[in-house]
Amino acid sequence: MKTVITYGTFDMFHVGHLRLFKRMRELGERVIVAVSTDEFNALKGKQAVIPYEERYEIIAALKCVDLIIPETCWEQKVIDIREYDVDVFVMGSDWSGKFDFLLPYCRVVYLPRTLDISTSSLKESIRSPRVAFNV
Ligand code: C2G
């Protein structure tokens, strides 16, 4: 069974994340998503708004995802690729080239990011809403 894996925080889940998973489904029969734990995000210098348990729960409800595993460190990818017999490693294009070291173990595919949506832009729009409310 052709297995595809990706890694990420997936904070404030949005259509960019969903479309990544749906495109992964076109690359294989089994889709695995490794979700960054809050502790690993601290190492990445990121603090997710939504805690790991809830980010996990949201992704676990998606029919296009078959398995979720925790991402606890940068170094786990080769171990995961071997353990889950991964055929394709996928990341969005903002990571282009950064994971080519995995090429000896599996195909590495960087998919174009979905335009005009990101967790940081969502946070910004909440912080400073553009719409003037008539009060
Ligand atoms: N993404 C996308 N389109 C967007 C936003 C994000 O395709 N509009 C993709 C990113 O390219 C990435 C994935 O969604 O492949 C997850 O994005 P993040 O949650 O920001 O991932 P990050 O925190 O960068 O963690 O070991 C890898 C790291 O854990 C990646």
Side-chain angles (χ1 to χ4, degrees):
M1 179 187 303
K2 196 165 186 186
T3 297
V4 192
I5 196 168
T6 194
Y7 295 72
T9 304
F10 306 107
D11 193 21
M12 297 173 74
F13 196 79
H14 56 67
V15 74
H17 300 140
L18 179 62
R19 288 179 185 162
L20 181 76
F21 298 163
K22 289 167 85 173
R23 286 178 291 168
M24 287 172 68
R25 170 63 75 205
E26 294 163 16
L27 297 171
E29 288 78 39
R30 182 171 67 152
V31 172
I32 302 175
V33 177
V35 180
S36 309
T37 60
D38 296 331
E39 295 75 14
F40 179 48
N41 270 330
L43 294 178
K44 287 198 272 185
K46 282 182 97 163
Q47 183 171 0
V49 172
I50 309 298
Y52 170 75
E53 293 71 19
E54 293 177 22
R55 290 183 281 118
Y56 185 108
E57 186 178 347
I58 290 166
I59 296 170
L62 300 175
K63 59 176 186 286
C64 55
V65 176
D66 300 293
L67 175 67
I68 304 162
I69 60 174
E71 181 185 27
T72 58
C73 63
W74 290 110
E75 299 76 19
Q76 73 182 76
K77 295 182 176 68
V78 173
I79 298 161
D80 294 342
I81 287 166
R82 286 180 167 147
E83 180 175 348
Y84 296 100
D85 195 20
V86 170
D87 301 281
V88 189
F89 170 91
V90 171
M91 290 299 287
S93 51
D94 50 314
W95 288 93
S96 284
K98 300 287 193 312
F99 295 106
D100 289 357
F101 67 90
L102 295 173
L103 283 165
Y105 306 99
C106 64
R107 259 184 80 201
V108 175
V109 174
Y110 302 104
L111 295 172
R113 274 175 68 95
T114 299
L115 298 175
D116 305 324
I117 184 85
S118 68
T119 303
S120 40
S121 66
L122 288 173
K123 286 180 188 173
E124 187 51 40
S125 61
I126 292 166
R127 248 196 305 270
S128 47
R130 289 191 184 83
V131 177
F133 294 101
N134 299 321
V135 293

